[in-house]
Amino acid sequence: MNTNLFMEIMGGTVHAIESVQAQPCSLMTQWRLFQVQVKGRRSRHLVGRADGEGRVCSPIVVMDLAALRVTTQSTRLYQLQGPPGRDGDADWVFDCWCSGVGATQCKDMTRALMRLRHRRGLGQVSREGSCRARGESN
């Protein structure tokens, strides 16, 4: 299984999601941040609920800590909405994904991320969020 493949749950199965061209940005709720090791390489991934289903994103390449906006290796943008949390569908997809890619370590980094936000005085996580097209101003 390709570690760059976005996956989500639908009807009890794991499947690829819309292409980045069709869906360049997604809002994610009930999210967590994981560091994963596959074949000796570490990467970080969001696990949460996006577009009504559980999802694991491709490796994170850029994270805007203040805005909680993430760009992944696939170039998809994720806007994190609301506080971190757990989602049963997302947990199931993440377990399937970890097994499929042969992950040897999966470390939840969510608390560390939230401590860093707190130390930098970034305050509470907004329950509001927008997923504007790239290049569109606020």
Side-chain angles (χ1 to χ4, degrees):
M1 187 175 283
N2 182 340
T3 59
N4 294 327
L5 180 65
F6 282 88
M7 301 181 85
E8 67 179 329
I9 181 171
M10 179 179 212
T13 62
V14 174
H15 60 89
I17 63 170
E18 291 280 342
S19 71
V20 174
Q21 292 75 22
Q23 185 184 52
C25 186
S26 288
L27 292 175
M28 184 176 278
T29 61
Q30 299 170 300
W31 56 272
R32 291 185 293 155
L33 173 67
F34 282 89
Q35 181 171 283
V36 178
Q37 185 166 321
V38 177
K39 298 179 183 171
R41 298 186 77 166
R42 289 187 193 150
S43 57
R44 292 188 178 168
H45 302 263
L46 294 172
V47 175
R49 191 150 195 90
D51 303 307
E53 300 181 308
R55 186 174 296 181
V56 177
C57 77
S58 64
I60 295 170
V61 294
V62 176
M63 176 176 257
D64 178 337
L65 194 58
L68 284 177
R69 186 171 278 221
V70 169
T71 303
T72 63
Q73 191 171 38
S74 70
T75 71
R76 188 179 316 262
L77 228 52
Y78 282 93
Q79 176 64 57
L80 302 181
Q81 190 175 36
R86 293 187 77 110
D87 177 75
D89 289 345
D91 290 346
W92 184 84
V93 172
F94 185 57
D95 288 344
C96 290
W97 181 84
C98 286
S99 294
V101 299
T104 54
Q105 285 185 338
C106 295
K107 183 176 180 181
D108 190 336
M109 303 294 290
T110 311
R111 291 182 108 185
L113 173 71
M114 297 309 287
R115 280 193 306 269
L116 181 60
R117 279 182 52 83
H118 179 73
R119 277 195 302 255
R120 293 189 179 174
L122 297 173
Q124 297 294 320
V125 177
S126 174
R127 294 192 182 277
E128 301 298 316
S130 68
C131 213
R132 296 174 183 254
R134 292 177 204 275
E136 200 176 300
S137 61
N138 287 332

